[in-house]
Amino acid sequence: MASSSSCGLGLACFVLLAASVGATQYKVGGDNGWAVPDATAESFNTWAEKTSFQIGDSLLFVYPKDKDSVLLVEPADYNTCNTSSYDKQFTDGSTSVTLDRAGAFFFISGVEANCRASEKLIVMVGSGGASAPAPAAQQGSGSPSPSTSAPAPSNGAPVPPASPKAPAAKNSTAKGAPPAAGSNSNGAGAGLAVAGFVASVAGCVAYATLAF
């Protein structure tokens, strides 16, 4: 029984150690700490947007505990700087908050005037998994889908529709070829005469075959 308890305790310690190894602590506000940002300083939210937070990471808020504090609040209280309603309040001057879940965390200063002067922070925490693939990479094979439109020529001229046979030349005298558009009446008559001759020859051949 004692051996089983020791194994369980050892496993729990191992899990906690593994979680702490990959965790990172971020100091909010850098050297300026948790305070009203001056005109040239980067806002807290701009800093947070450039940082990839994961579950297990922590935020370190450093501030004068006799003049300021940190409140973990709901989104509505964040927007209105409502310091009278909060989920958690921290007043020790050096507060470490562990990001223990995925999603958004909303922090404001416990001093309403400071909050309204942009001493407030939204932190988005990822789940630690791989980022979702781009839509173009979700096709499985990775090859681009074929295009259904024909490419335009380099000079910008429209592409004519493909034709299985080349059009007959104007005024062509080839046997059986239809007269080209725009030809004169003599060309049309010659074409009809040739067609009639070919039909007559075909009829004679068919008759001779039946006769024999």
Side-chain angles (χ1 to χ4, degrees), residues 52-148:
S52 297
F53 299 98
Q54 302 298 328
I55 297 175
D57 291 345
S58 61
L59 302 175
L60 178 61
F61 295 85
V62 178
Y63 52 93
K65 63 181 181 180
D66 57 333
K67 296 180 180 179
D68 209 344
S69 61
V70 181
L71 303 180
L72 177 63
V73 298
E74 295 298 316
D77 297 319
Y78 173 90
N79 291 332
T80 60
C81 287
N82 181 11
T83 58
S84 61
S85 176
Y86 47 82
D87 295 335
K88 292 182 180 180
Q89 181 184 41
F90 307 97
T91 59
D92 57 1
S94 182
T95 301
S96 179
V97 179
T98 300
L99 306 174
D100 55 1
R101 59 172 175 81
F105 289 77
F106 299 85
F107 300 95
I108 64 174
S109 169
V111 179
E112 183 179 347
N114 290 0
C115 175
R116 296 190 181 282
S118 299
E119 190 180 339
K120 55 198 307 187
L121 168 67
I122 301 175
V123 169
M124 295 298 299
V125 181
S127 61
S131 58
Q138 294 178 347
Q139 299 175 0
S141 62
S143 58
S145 57
S147 174
T148 57

